[in-house]
């Protein structure tokens, strides 16, 4: 079968699925392969669970007309997503960047949903499998698609753009994330800017933070729609008001009070407002969208547990986001304890980057510091207000976290550290 024929079958289905545990009636199951599994072996199970069709790439599993044999299941998933995207012919907005992608995507989705029927990336399904699944989740009812794109090496964003073919794009920032795969900060800028390259080449629109010199430099030849806090001449002017306790800003005479902590979230809020402005959404509806958005999934969540108040920011971490979180945390009132976990994918710079963050944390007005992970454990940390543990298990076994009372806690680390487990110790 060619892609057009497979697409006709897909239109008979409810959605695309790659996990038999999540199969719904009339899904199209894609039998992907991984290092430790072969999806073809689950084709029969998928059909028994309600799948209408299964896309397979091994002849031995072709058991009925409902099993569709292709050369490569992953390539078929990606090609089908592009075909479906072109079939729907709706505007697609792509978002990438080192920090804040998912929060920004959620804010933009909340804002655009005030006027349009939107479909956005669920969670962080933002890679070579997640982007196609996001596109295939869009229907004829979808008026605007919002696609988050993640990357940890060169040419990855370029490839995701070839699948999604975005009409609009925004890069949150260029930070010290995935340095190992990108080969340093310059590599990060080059890799993330592949979104700009695609949009410029195809004469599409880029949303630009005029306060970011890299964004300005990289989009000189682009069709842009700009926003800024202190820069004159932007398409949209948004003023930062304060970040204590939550970020608030001023837009067209309207004060917008978010439920997001940290001045670093200002740009995430500002671009959502800007995109709402671009698509002619009324200021009061933009205000409603931003003010009603509550962060979830370990991203700057505010949790109260006993007498303690917790800023749970344990979804991920890199030197840029860690620094921003610490500087914001220092400004908070009360007795403060920061629990910091290792930052992953830093390559050769891991040792120096962890030492830099440790030095910063020790220099700040934070009452107690707890460092967790091999990299922090190997850092030079000599202070009465600091403790370090080689692993979470050591923290669990060698400390009594339940003694913490009347404390404001910041919990931040890379996903692999899973520091949300600290909540169980309090």
């Amino acid at each position: 079968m060619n892609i057009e024929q497979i697409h006709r079958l897909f239109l008979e289905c409810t959605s695309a699925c790659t996990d038999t545990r999540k199969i719904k009636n009339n899904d199209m199951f894609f039998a992907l392969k991984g290092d430790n599994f072969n999806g073809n072996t689950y084709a029969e199970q998928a059909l028994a669970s309600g799948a209408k069709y299964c896309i397979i790439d091994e002849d031995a599993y072709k058991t009925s007309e409902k099993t569709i044999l292709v050369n490569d299941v992953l390539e078929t998933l990606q090609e089908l997503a592009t075909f479906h995207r072109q079939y729907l012919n709706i505007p697609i907005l792509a978002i990438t960047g080192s920090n804040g992608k998912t929060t920004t995507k959620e804010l933009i989705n909340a804002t655009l949903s005030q006027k349009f029927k939107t479909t956005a990336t669920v969670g962080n399904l933002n890679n070579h499998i997640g982007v196609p699944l996001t596109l295939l989740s869009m229907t004829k009812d979808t008026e605007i698609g919002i696609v988050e794109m993640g990357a940890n090496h060169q040419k990855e964003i370029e490839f995701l753009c070839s699948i999604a073919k975005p009409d609009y794009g925004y890069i949150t920032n260029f930070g010290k994330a995935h340095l190992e795969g990108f080969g340093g900060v310059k590599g990060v800028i080059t890799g993330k800017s592949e979104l700009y390259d695609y949009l410029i080449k195809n004469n599409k629109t880029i949303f630009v933070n005029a306060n970011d010199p890299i964004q300005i430099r990289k989009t000189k030849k682009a069709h842009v729609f700009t926003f800024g806090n202190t820069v004159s001449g932007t398409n949209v002017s948004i003023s930062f008001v304060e970040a204590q306790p939550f970020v608030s800003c001023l837009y067209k005479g309207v004060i917008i009070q978010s439920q997001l902590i940290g001045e670093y979230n200002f740009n995430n809020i500002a671009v959502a407002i800007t995109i709402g402005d671009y698509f002619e959404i009324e200021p009061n509806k933009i205000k409603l969208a931003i003010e009603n958005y509550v962060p979830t999934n370990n991203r700057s969540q505010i949790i109260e547990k006993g007498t303690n108040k917790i800023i749970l920011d344990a979804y991920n971490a890199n030197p840029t986001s860690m620094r921003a979180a610490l500087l914001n945390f220092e400004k908070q009132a009360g007795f403060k304890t920061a629990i910091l976990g290792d930052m992953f994918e830093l390559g050769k710079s891991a040792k120096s980057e962890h030492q830099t963050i440790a030095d910063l944390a020790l220099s700040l007005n934070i009452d107690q510091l707890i460092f967790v992970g091999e990299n922090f454990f190997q850092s030079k940390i000599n202070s009465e207000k600091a403790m370090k543990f080689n692993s979470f298990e050591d923290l669990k076994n060698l400390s009594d976290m339940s003694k913490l009372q009347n404390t404001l806690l910041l919990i931040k680390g890379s996903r692999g550290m899973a520091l949300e487990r600290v909540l169980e110790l309090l």
Side-chain angles (χ1 to χ4, degrees), residues 297-366:
N297 197 20
N298 304 329
R299 290 181 173 90
S300 298
Q301 282 181 262
I302 304 295
I303 297 171
E304 294 192 4
K305 192 157 182 158
T307 61
N308 299 314
K309 189 173 183 179
I310 302 147
I311 301 171
L312 182 60
D313 198 7
Y315 182 79
N316 219 338
N318 57 54
T320 305
S321 66
M322 190 74 88
R323 176 182 173 84
L326 283 168
L327 292 175
N328 174 70
F329 189 57
E330 183 191 32
K331 298 174 184 176
Q332 308 303 312
F335 185 88
K336 299 185 288 289
T337 297
I339 304 172
L340 308 178
D342 272 3
M343 304 170 288
F344 294 175
E345 294 187 56
L346 296 178
K348 294 178 181 178
S349 61
K351 182 179 179 180
S352 62
E353 293 292 352
H354 281 84
Q355 188 64 60
T356 298
I357 290 297
D359 292 343
L360 171 66
L362 290 165
S363 73
L364 298 176
N365 181 28
I366 298 172

Side-chain angles (χ1 to χ4, degrees), residues 20 29 31-32 36-47 54 61:
T20 52
F29 175 70
L32 296 175
N36 302 308
F37 65 91
N38 179 354
N40 288 278
T41 64
Y42 294 94
E44 280 297 310
Q45 183 182 331
L47 290 172
C54 290
Y61 299 95

Side-chain angles (χ1 to χ4, degrees), residues 30-79:
F30 290 82
L32 296 175
K33 293 175 182 174
D35 294 334
N36 302 308
F37 65 91
N38 179 354
N40 288 278
T41 64
Y42 294 94
E44 280 297 310
Q45 183 182 331
L47 290 172
S49 298
K52 192 175 183 73
Y53 298 104
C54 290
I55 308 299
I56 61 171
D57 53 16
E58 291 185 15
D59 191 48
Y61 299 95
K62 178 86 172 95
T63 56
S64 73
E65 291 181 357
K66 290 187 173 184
T67 47
I68 314 300
L69 184 65
V70 298
N71 290 329
D72 186 289
V73 171
L74 177 57
E75 288 181 6
T76 300
L77 174 69
Q78 293 164 341
E79 289 173 19

Side-chain angles (χ1 to χ4, degrees), residues 92-106:
I92 298 290
L93 167 64
I95 303 162
T96 191
S98 297
N99 303 302
K101 291 185 294 296
T102 301
T103 298
T104 300
K105 174 208 67 186
E106 295 293 341

Side-chain angles (χ1 to χ4, degrees), residues 107-119 141-144 146 275-286 288-289:
L107 287 164
I108 292 170
N109 188 34
T111 302
L112 291 178
S113 295
Q114 294 293 317
K115 182 177 179 181
F116 303 97
K117 172 70 175 176
T118 64
T119 302
D141 292 330
T142 305
E143 295 175 298
I144 297 178
I146 305 164
I275 291 172
D277 185 285
Y278 179 89
F279 285 99
E280 299 180 345
I281 298 173
E282 297 172 10
N284 64 324
K285 288 188 175 180
I286 294 175
L288 182 69

